[in-house]
């Protein structure tokens, strides 16, 4: 009971470990603490834990559920990377940052609840979550990292709130089931390839504060039929190359096409 943290690599690659009880008083799960514990099926973290470290549960491929307590403030880089059996996760209101690669390649993850406390969704945070069908990003988030939801092929809808100012490069690349997207007036930059190869995307609304649409931002969105570019845009790359169904191009730059 005098333990304060579970140290770096403490149980790494303990392949026969199926369950573990972490006692109250533990405040941190350090880097790689349970990395590669491929038979671990569930874990409950006590209310004393404030930090889940880098790669803490990476490669726990049989982990189906995890309870993250309200005390946790940080979910580290790659914390649940390749937890391929994890089906759902609720992130508590205490968390402010979802680290880079945090849930990368959680291929069974169908739903995720992101609380109003989160301000940053890191690069690659949910990349290759191929079973994720919908996500609501709360109005506390200001930045969606590069590749954050890339390759989420089952994602049909996403709500981007008015708080977001930047959508990173390839943030929603190859979300092949996404049918529509509204980019709010708060967004100033749409990164390169942000929505490329979203083959089911038929409509997009671009907010009136966007100044930059990165190169290939909507390239190869083969079912996109119309788009309106607001007057705020000053820079637009080859954003719509390969959009074979695009028939209406309205607003700024329309005269050039």
């Amino acid at each position: 009971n005098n333990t304060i943290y579970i140290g770096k690599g403490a149980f790494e690659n303990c392949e026969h470990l199926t369950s573990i009880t972490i006692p109250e008083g533990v405040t941190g799960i350090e880097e790689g603490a349970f990395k590669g514990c491929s038979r671990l099926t569930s874990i409950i973290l006590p209310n004393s834990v404030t930090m889940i470290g880098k790669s803490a549960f990476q490669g726990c491929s049989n982990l189906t559920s995890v309870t993250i307590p309200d005390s946790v403030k940080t979910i580290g880089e790659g914390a649940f990377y390749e937890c391929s059996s994890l089906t759902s996760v609720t992130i508590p209101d205490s968390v402010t940052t979802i680290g880079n690669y945090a849930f990368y390649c959680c291929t069974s993850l169908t739903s995720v609840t992101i609380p109003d406390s989160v301000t940053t969704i890191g690069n690659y945070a949910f990349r290759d979550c191929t079973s994720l069908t919908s996500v609501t990003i709360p109005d506390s988030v200001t930045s969606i990292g590069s590749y954050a939801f890339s390759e989420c092929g089952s994602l049909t809808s996403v709500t981007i709130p008015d708080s977001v100012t930047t959508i990173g490069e390839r943030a929603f690349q190859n979300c092949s089931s996404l049918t529509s997207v509204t980019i709010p007036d708060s967004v100033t930059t749409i990164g390169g390839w942000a929505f490329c190869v979203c083959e089911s995307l038929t409509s997009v609304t671009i907010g009136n504060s966007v100044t930059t649409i990165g190169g290939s931002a909507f390239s190869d969105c083969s079912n996109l039929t119309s788009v309106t570019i607001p007057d705020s845009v000053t820079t637009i790359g080859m954003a719509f190359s390969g959009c074979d169904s695009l028939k209406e191009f309205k607003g700024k730059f329309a005269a050039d096409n």
Side-chain angles (χ1 to χ4, degrees):
N1 289 331
N2 293 324
T3 302
I4 298 173
Y5 58 85
I6 296 176
K8 181 177 179 179
F11 298 93
E12 185 172 352
N13 293 325
C14 290
E15 296 178 0
H16 295 279
L17 187 67
T18 58
S19 65
I20 190 163
T21 300
I22 298 174
E24 284 288 344
V26 171
T27 58
I29 313 294
E30 292 202 333
E31 180 178 342
F34 296 94
K35 182 179 180 180
C37 293
S38 56
R39 297 190 185 183
L40 191 65
T41 58
S42 67
I43 192 161
I44 297 175
L45 303 175
N47 289 324
S48 53
V49 171
T50 60
M51 181 273 294
I52 300 173
K54 178 180 179 180
S55 302
F57 298 96
Q58 179 178 334
C60 293
S61 54
N62 277 304
L63 188 66
T64 57
S65 66
V66 62
T67 300
I68 302 173
D70 291 339
S71 53
V72 171
K73 297 177 182 177
T74 302
I75 298 175
E77 182 174 315
F80 297 94
Y81 188 121
E82 290 185 332
C83 290
S84 54
S85 297
L86 192 64
T87 57
S88 66
V89 64
T90 298
I91 299 168
D93 289 340
S94 51
V95 173
T96 58
T97 300
I98 300 173
N100 299 340
Y101 302 92
F103 296 93
Y104 188 127
C105 213
C106 291
T107 53
S108 297
L109 191 64
T110 58
S111 65
V112 61
T113 301
I114 301 172
D116 290 339
S117 55
V118 172
T119 58
T120 301
I121 298 174
N123 301 335
Y124 298 85
F126 296 94
R127 179 173 176 168
D128 281 315
C129 290
T130 53
S131 298
L132 192 64
T133 57
S134 66
V135 63
T136 299
I137 299 169
D139 57 13
S140 54
V141 172
T142 58
S143 175
I144 300 173
S146 298
Y147 293 89
F149 296 93
S150 176
E151 311 293 336
C152 291
S154 298
L155 191 65
T156 58
S157 66
V158 62
T159 300
I160 301 172
D162 289 336
S163 55
V164 172
T165 59
T166 302
I167 299 172
E169 287 192 359
R170 303 183 190 270
F172 295 92
Q173 171 186 297
N174 204 21
C175 289
S176 54
S177 298
L178 193 63
T179 57
S180 66
V181 64
T182 298
I183 297 167
D185 289 341
S186 57
V187 171
T188 59
T189 301
I190 302 171
W193 299 277
F195 295 91
C196 72
V197 204
C198 289
E199 296 174 337
S200 298
L201 194 64
T202 58
S203 66
V204 60
T205 301
I206 299 173
N208 291 323
S209 297
V210 171
T211 58
T212 301
I213 301 175
S216 299
F218 296 92
S219 66
D220 296 309
C221 291
S222 54
N223 283 300
L224 188 63
T225 57
S226 67
V227 65
T228 301
I229 305 297
D231 290 339
S232 57
V233 173
T234 58
T235 303
I236 183 169
M238 294 180 64
F240 298 93
S241 62
C243 294
D244 298 336
S245 299
L246 191 59
K247 297 177 182 178
E248 290 186 299
F249 189 77
K250 302 177 182 178
K252 197 170 185 181
F253 304 108
D256 299 329
N257 291 273

